[in-house]
Amino acid sequence: MQNLNQMTNTELKQYISKHRNEEEAFRAALQVLMSRCDSATQHPYPFDLDNPEKEVEALLKEKINRAK
């Protein structure tokens, strides 16, 4: 098996696609890819929020302001 930790995210996604029917290879690559996710940038599922419309709007405004 290739060294998954040295692959870029794009390479990992290609590897996962190519090995989707090989459970061990698929799981190993997916685990590496998921370990790279930054929990600080993840947002909650909108329907789990108390006031989804207002809170999603606030998140979008924040992203727009950061992009300026």
Side-chain angles (χ1 to χ4, degrees):
M1 188 181 303
Q2 299 175 350
N3 188 344
L4 301 173
N5 291 314
Q6 293 181 348
M7 290 183 179
T8 65
N9 286 352
T10 301
E11 291 170 332
L12 276 171
K13 289 175 187 176
Q14 291 170 346
Y15 182 89
I16 287 169
S17 179
K18 189 175 185 179
H19 295 87
R20 64 182 167 268
N21 295 323
E22 300 170 37
E23 188 173 341
E24 186 177 328
F26 180 89
R27 284 180 186 235
L30 186 59
Q31 185 175 11
V32 171
L33 186 61
M34 290 179 65
S35 73
R36 295 179 182 177
C37 292
D38 183 3
S39 62
T41 61
Q42 294 178 352
H43 297 291
Y45 187 65
F47 297 108
D48 291 339
L49 301 171
D50 293 332
N51 186 344
E53 187 175 307
K54 186 176 182 178
E55 293 184 48
V56 169
E57 184 179 343
L59 288 170
L60 292 173
K61 284 181 180 178
E62 179 184 329
K63 278 193 171 272
I64 290 169
N65 287 335
R66 271 193 265 151
K68 291 181 180 180

